[in-house]
Amino acid sequence: MARQVENGVNPIFTERWSPRAFDESTLSEAELNRLFEAARWAPSAYNAQPWRFIHARRGTPQWETFLDFLIPYNRGWAQRASALVIAISQEQFVPPGKTDPISTGTHSYDTGAAVAYLALQAHLAGLGAHIVTGFDKEKARTTLGVPAGYQIESAIVIGKKADPDVLSDDLKAREVPNERKPLASIVAEGKFSFQ
Ligand SMILES: Cc1cc2nc3c(=O)[nH]c(=O)nc-3n(C[C@H](O)[C@H](O)[C@H](O)COP(=O)(O)O)c2cc1C
């Protein structure tokens, strides 16, 4: 069933989805920077902006190295994408006027918001952005030289959408936008009460 626009929400939220069929095209640095620019404007606790992004584009020497972080299932479809981004978060920060670092406890939460902004901007740019957690985070940490104090959060597979025929039959069957729980299952007024 096609996603429905309900409660007057802007269609950008229902039209964005996570594709797996990509067309093997390349992406310019400027196109990618537009996505990071959107991420830059996400809200964060203390405005600490704990997100960091390390990327590789198809056609560059790093591309295969980044693909190798992915578990085989994700690599199977992501290899036709145009860019791979590793999202990491800084666990502590030094508040303005202080000298000692503190932990807000929200570095992952904040980085998730930034990644969501990135994904929405990708959609606006006519691209697909598919967030994945199925990758070897320790391999990414070692290979990319990510120091202690930074958490590896997710990988984001970005590309131009292609015909689902490029996928295996089982993935092709799943290449449609999925559904969501109804509002009453996630929102309650006044007390903990969900359907
Ligand atoms: C943190 C996170 C990790 C995910 N990991 C994977 C993954 O490893 N492989 C995959 O195919 N999809 C992955 N997804 C995509 C989700 O399955 C997808 O976002 C969800 O089904 C909602 O669909 P939509 O993004 O198309 O609206 C992940 C999404 C998030 C936010």
Side-chain angles (χ1 to χ4, degrees):
M1 197 176 74
R3 290 180 174 184
Q4 304 296 318
V5 175
E6 293 175 78
N7 296 301
V9 74
N10 188 295
I12 186 180
F13 296 104
T14 50
E15 288 171 359
R16 182 220 58 83
W17 63 290
S18 302
R20 294 190 179 87
F22 294 108
D23 72 355
E24 301 188 67
S25 58
T26 55
L27 208 57
S28 71
E29 213 171 324
E31 286 175 293
L32 203 50
N33 278 341
R34 182 181 290 184
L35 312 189
F36 295 131
E37 184 63 29
R40 193 160 82 93
W41 290 102
S44 59
Y46 298 90
N47 197 20
Q49 302 161 64
W51 44 77
R52 302 289 183 272
F53 302 103
I54 308 177
H55 65 85
R57 287 180 297 127
R58 168 182 290 281
T60 67
Q62 301 85 15
W63 176 243
E64 285 295 326
T65 306
F66 275 55
L67 279 179
D68 271 347
F69 299 152
L70 301 176
I71 59 169
Y73 167 77
N74 285 331
R75 190 191 162 119
W77 53 266
Q79 64 194 354
R80 281 180 297 274
S82 311
L84 250 167
V85 177
I86 305 296
I88 63 181
S89 67
Q90 189 176 29
E91 293 164 0
Q92 295 194 319
F93 87 113
V94 181
K98 303 273 191 280
T99 49
D100 293 330
I102 64 161
S103 182
T104 63
T106 62
H107 53 91
S108 294
Y109 182 94
D110 296 338
T111 301
V115 170
Y117 273 37
L118 185 156
L120 286 170
Q121 177 59 47
H123 173 69
L124 284 173
L127 300 168
H130 195 137
I131 303 158
V132 299
T133 193
F135 68 106
D136 187 334
K137 298 188 176 72
E138 276 320 302
K139 190 174 183 180
R141 177 182 291 283
T142 307
T143 309
L144 303 177
V146 178
Y150 289 81
Q151 189 166 313
I152 312 274
E153 300 287 0
S154 63
I156 313 160
V157 182
I158 299 163
K160 295 189 180 111
K161 283 176 237 170
D163 192 293
D165 279 346
V166 302
L167 296 170
S168 58
D169 284 346
D170 55 328
L171 285 183
K172 204 179 349 178
R174 296 177 59 191
E175 193 66 353
V176 282
N178 54 19
E179 263 303 328
R180 288 298 186 271
K181 295 173 182 169
L183 216 53
S185 297
I186 62 165
V187 181
E189 184 174 5
K191 70 179 171 83
F192 191 99
S193 161
F194 301 97
Q195 284 173 20

